[in-house]
Amino acid sequence: MAKPIIITGASSGIGYELAKVCAAKGHDLVLIARREDRLLSLKAELETARGVQVLTYRGDLTDADTRQQFFDWTQTQGIAPYALVNNAGFGDLTAFAEADWAKHNAMLQLNIVALTHLTRLYLPGLIAQGQGRILNVASLAAFLPGPYLAVYYATKAYVLSFTNAIASELQGTGVTATTLCPGPTESEFQERAAAKDAQLFAIENMPTSAEVAAYGYAAMEKGQGTAIHGTKNKLLSFSARRLPRHRLADIAKRMQQPV
Ligand SMILES: NC(=O)c1ccc[n+]([C@@H]2O[C@H](COP(=O)([O-])OP(=O)(O)OC[C@H]3O[C@@H](n4cnc5c(N)ncnc54)[C@H](OP(=O)(O)O)[C@@H]3O)[C@@H](O)[C@H]2O)c1
């Protein structure tokens, strides 16, 4: 395979568009998500339009055995990835005291544990080949506490901290680790998070997943440490680093209210 890129959560939204951007740049792809039908139609589209090779894998990344089996499968296929894109993730808008624990546990497993586990599995290979990229998808949520999406925001703070730390460890190896922080973006996220009515997503000209994916790919290629999409989001993250945490929580709380 030619400079293959592994993308998790490529069946919709930002991951789907990242697959398109990577294929347009000539990368072969390995795509994983649960909805294999979507991966297969994307594979057919990209193989025809871009002439790249696309392998698909149906798997639930909240499951540790699935993650190990996926890694083993890529090894037996002889895939030496150029990049790993940990994009799969979801949120759930609810008061924490009423949270569905199974759903929140799955969120922790996917947004934190799967991202960390896959990074641990693939990183030694990237370092051994002396070049490579990790792109971990966090969020603007990484910069503040998020009432009613408390666990989700906290998972993204983890992704930012973890990825910034390993980026530092990787200096001089030829491998870089980039944290992509999108703000509200058009995708299936809002519906899955039951957050369609939240003020956060009631913005005009919400960026598309394609715009965020193009930005994320460019940042990954440059080896940028933290990549915050959009000028407004950059300003927000900058202010977030200066305001007291309780003030930030109040602001986020208002954004999570219905319109
Ligand atoms: N949209 C936003 O406003 C926004 C803002 C900031 C950050 N983000 C982050 O961007 C990333 C992509 O989200 P999106 O906005 O593109 O949402 P999306 O359209 O809902 O896409 C989420 C992807 O994750 C996959 N996924 C979910 N659960 C999975 C599981 N258990 N195992 C494997 N794959 C799973 C989904 O595939 P299957 O359902 O087929 O498995 C889907 O491909 C997430 O990490 C999200 O937190 C989104």
Side-chain angles (χ1 to χ4, degrees), residues 194-217:
K196 274 174 87 175
D197 298 330
Q199 286 181 31
L200 181 64
F201 294 108
I203 52 171
E204 275 178 34
N205 303 322
M206 185 151 49
T208 62
S209 286
E211 287 165 342
V212 171
Y215 173 77
Y217 176 85

Side-chain angles (χ1 to χ4, degrees), residues 72-186:
D72 295 344
W73 173 78
T74 57
Q75 297 287 102
T76 54
Q77 297 284 323
I79 297 161
Y82 161 71
L84 168 68
V85 178
N86 282 302
N87 160 78
F90 74 96
D92 187 29
L93 184 76
T94 178
F96 182 67
E98 293 157 20
D100 174 341
W101 174 245
K103 200 167 180 184
H104 277 69
N105 189 24
M107 194 194 302
L108 289 162
Q109 295 307 312
L110 183 64
N111 297 11
I112 292 183
V113 183
L115 174 142
T116 312
H117 190 188
L118 290 177
T119 303
R120 176 64 186 86
L121 288 169
Y122 286 103
L123 199 47
L126 298 180
I127 295 170
Q129 71 196 12
Q131 63 157 2
R133 296 284 181 270
I134 299 277
L135 178 65
N136 286 339
V137 181
S139 168
L140 192 59
F143 297 95
L144 64 169
Y148 303 114
L149 275 165
V151 173
Y152 176 74
Y153 274 55
T155 64
K156 295 304 182 179
Y158 171 90
V159 174
L160 177 64
S161 175
F162 167 69
T163 313
N164 286 169
I166 59 166
S168 172
E169 290 182 24
L170 289 168
Q171 279 165 15
T173 64
V175 181
T176 58
T178 300
T179 315
L180 173 61
C181 299
T185 304
E186 270 178 26

Side-chain angles (χ1 to χ4, degrees), residues 9 11-12 14 34-35 60-61 87 152 156 185 187 192:
S11 59
S12 65
I14 297 168
R34 294 165 304 177
R35 291 172 295 177
D60 182 340
L61 287 167
N87 160 78
Y152 176 74
K156 295 304 182 179
T185 304
S187 74
R192 282 178 194 240

